[in-house]
Amino acid sequence: MPRDELCHFVAGRATYRSDVGEVIEVSAGTVVMFPAGWTGECTVHETMRNVYMLA
């Protein structure tokens, strides 16, 4: 069952690109809510660390 995912990025840098073209740049301090069923790809530029919660 898909669930929403709340991510708090604490280190690193990456670019998320959804299948519908939305681009999200993340770095330390960024908080992102990925809705249930989100699909796309992630390009990691620097090793990342994050804390996440499934809701």
Side-chain angles (χ1 to χ4, degrees):
M1 173 171 143
R3 295 162 56 179
D4 294 339
E5 183 174 343
L6 178 69
C7 293
H8 177 204
F9 296 89
V10 296
R13 197 170 56 84
T15 303
Y16 284 82
R17 184 178 308 274
S18 75
D19 287 347
V20 296
E22 178 186 18
V23 175
I24 305 167
E25 299 286 343
V26 300
S27 59
T30 303
V31 176
V32 178
M33 173 67 144
F34 294 101
W38 186 94
T39 57
E41 63 181 43
C42 175
T43 302
V44 176
H45 308 293
E46 296 174 12
T47 301
M48 298 168 42
R49 288 187 183 206
N50 67 339
V51 177
Y52 68 93
M53 177 180 76
L54 300 175

